[in-house]
Structure formats: structure tokens, C-alpha cells
Amino acid sequence: MIEQRDETSVQEDSIVSIITGLLYPFIIVFGIYIILNGHDTPGGGFQGGAILAVLFIGRYLVAHSDDFDIHRAHNVEKVLLAILILVPVVFVFGSLSRSYPQLNQVYLVFMNLLIGFKVALGLTIVVFRYAFFEDR
Amino acid sequence: MRFVASALLVIAVFVLVIGITTVHRVELDPFIYDYVIHYFERDTHAKNAVAAILLNYRMYDTMFEALILLTAIIGMNHFLPGTGSRPGKSEDQADE
């Protein structure tokens, strides 16, 4: 009986899948919270991005899904990096942060969001690249 | 022999660095520390000094830190075997 079950359910572990499904909304909320409060509390883009990357990695661990398009994610990450370099060049190096001090909060939150999504995409790409390499 | 030599080299460098730092002490000027502690909220409107440093005072560090992740992915795409797309489709696209 046990051997038969092992043969049919190599791909899916019900405990892991149920627990991961339960944790999903909490992971999303926790990651977004860490990113959005990065300028007030400990945390920030890199940490929140790493938490958000757990979403895709956990989904792969549970379902062995291979519908993640690495090339498209890579292109999105490049665009995000371009914005990430352009915004500080204009705002900080152009000393707009001194002229318009009320924009500083918006700038910090926006930069943390950009860094968070970029790091989440990057870590996901790294893990999926190795996973697809091992799957071949 | 090579491993012994490299291990001896590492130990020698470690002892040298420890010895130099115990003999030769430098008191750093805490100017930047004091400035950041006192003025980061006025300058950047952030309540977290780490965020103020990462996103305003040391912006180059954050920009290139974000760049090295992209560089690592580009290196992986080039040096790992395989095409990097889905396992099912990778073979077909590679043949075309």
C-alpha cells in the first residue's frame, strides 16, 4: 500500500501543499508590509523581495509548475533596474530631494517597491534556472 | 604540499593582520556617524537610518547592489548548460 502510494504521489505531498496554501496570503501580506514600511521600521526592499520570492519558489516546490517564463521575467527585471537607476539619478543626484522635501516619503516608498519587486524576480529566476537545469 | 602551503599562508596572513591591528591602533573620526545620527531625519524624511543611508546617502551602493543580482543571472544564463526556458520547450527551440 505504501509503495503504491509512493509511486503515484512522488510529485505532490499533501501536507506541504496544504500548509503552503494556508501560508500563501500571509507571505504576500508580510512581504508587502516589509517593503512598504521599509523607511519607518527595519526592513526594506531587499528583505521584502526575498520574502516575496518565497511565493514562486514555494509554488514550484508544491506543484512542480514549469509555466514560469524566465526570459520574460528577465526582461521585466531589466526594465525595473533601468527605472531603479533613473529615479535616484533624477531625484537624489539632481538634488530634487532638497528642493521638494515633501516628495521624500514618496521617493522612499517607490524605491523600496521597485527594489522589492526586482529582488523577488531575481531570486525567483535564480532558483527556477537551477530547477529547470536539474529537470532536464 | 600545496594545501599545506596555502593553509600556512592563510594562517600567516591572519596572524599578521591580528598583530598589526593590535600594535597599530587608529582612532577614527566619528564625523559621519554623528552627522547621520543627528540629521538623517531632516535630510531624507525617513524614520529608519538604514533606509536613509541605503536610499539617499549611499545611493550608488544600492544601485550597483541591484545590478550584481542581474549580473549573476546573466552569468548563469551564459555558463549553465541548457537554454533556460521550460524543460518541455527548450529542446524544440534549441533545435530550430
Side-chain angles (χ1 to χ4, degrees), chain A residues 27-49:
Chain A
I27 295 174
I28 297 177
V29 171
F30 187 49
I32 300 278
Y33 168 79
I34 293 249
I35 291 176
L36 285 184
N37 277 302
H39 61 292
D40 282 350
T41 56
F46 287 98
Q47 293 87 349

Side-chain angles (χ1 to χ4, degrees), chain A residues 110-131:
Chain A
F110 182 65
M111 285 300 293
N112 268 331
L113 272 176
L114 276 182
I115 293 174
F117 287 130
K118 191 202 164 296
V119 169
L121 271 178
L123 290 179
T124 312
I125 290 173
V126 169
V127 171
F128 271 70
R129 185 71 178 82
Y130 275 106

Side-chain angles (χ1 to χ4, degrees), chain A residues 39 41 66 105 107 118 129, chain B residues 45 47-48 55 77 86:
Chain A
H39 61 292
T41 56
D66 53 357
Q105 291 270 351
Y107 164 76
K118 191 202 164 296
R129 185 71 178 82
Chain B
H45 293 254
K47 293 187 182 66
N48 183 6
L55 292 179
N77 277 337
R86 288 164 254 183

